Amino acid sequence: EKEAAEEERRKKEEERRKEEQQMTLEEYMKKMASDRADLEAKPAREAEKVDMKGLKIASKDDEEMSTREKEAKKKGHSSGRKVTHVQDLGFVAAGPPPGASEERGG
């Protein structure tokens, strides 16, 4: 019973704190007006002036090529293609046993 009373007291105290933290509509409007005044008092921010002469527009192909070149350098290959050599060893697979197609229903 004491625990329930203690819990109830905590809940009421927490609700009271929340109510104290809440602003009234008038307080909120005053705060918003002062924030707006502060914003208007600051000078507008200007864009940086950058010299754009001689720059090239990067395309998607340039980006892919540079990525491939970076990967090739990491692997130590001069080109992005990997060459695989195949040698025929001359193995021959045995055919199906006679009558196998009849068993399957074909």
Side-chain angles (χ1 to χ4, degrees):
E1 192 174 298
K2 288 183 180 181
E3 292 175 5
E6 181 70 23
E7 185 68 28
E8 186 67 30
R9 187 183 62 77
R10 284 186 197 148
K11 285 182 181 179
K12 285 181 181 179
E13 188 175 318
E14 187 175 322
E15 287 177 20
R16 185 183 54 79
R17 266 193 248 132
K18 285 182 181 178
E19 285 180 19
E20 288 175 358
Q21 290 175 354
Q22 288 182 345
M23 287 188 242
T24 63
L25 178 61
E26 292 173 5
E27 291 171 339
Y28 176 76
M29 295 304 285
K30 286 179 186 176
K31 182 177 183 261
M32 293 304 290
S34 68
D35 290 350
R36 208 173 295 121
D38 290 344
L39 269 178
E40 291 172 359
K42 292 181 182 178
R45 194 172 156 193
E46 293 183 19
E48 295 178 17
K49 296 178 181 169
V50 180
D51 183 22
M52 301 290 249
K53 293 179 184 175
L55 295 179
K56 177 185 165 190
I57 297 175
S59 66
K60 187 74 174 170
D61 295 335
D62 293 340
E63 195 173 301
E64 289 176 8
M65 183 58 105
S66 65
T67 305
R68 283 191 221 135
E69 289 171 358
K70 288 177 188 175
E71 289 174 3
K73 285 181 183 177
K74 284 182 186 176
K75 292 181 180 178
H77 299 288
S78 58
S79 68
R81 298 184 69 168
K82 185 175 179 180
V83 179
T84 305
H85 297 282
V86 179
Q87 183 177 5
D88 185 11
L89 299 176
F91 292 118
V92 178
S101 62
E102 292 173 3
E103 291 175 10
R104 279 197 250 143

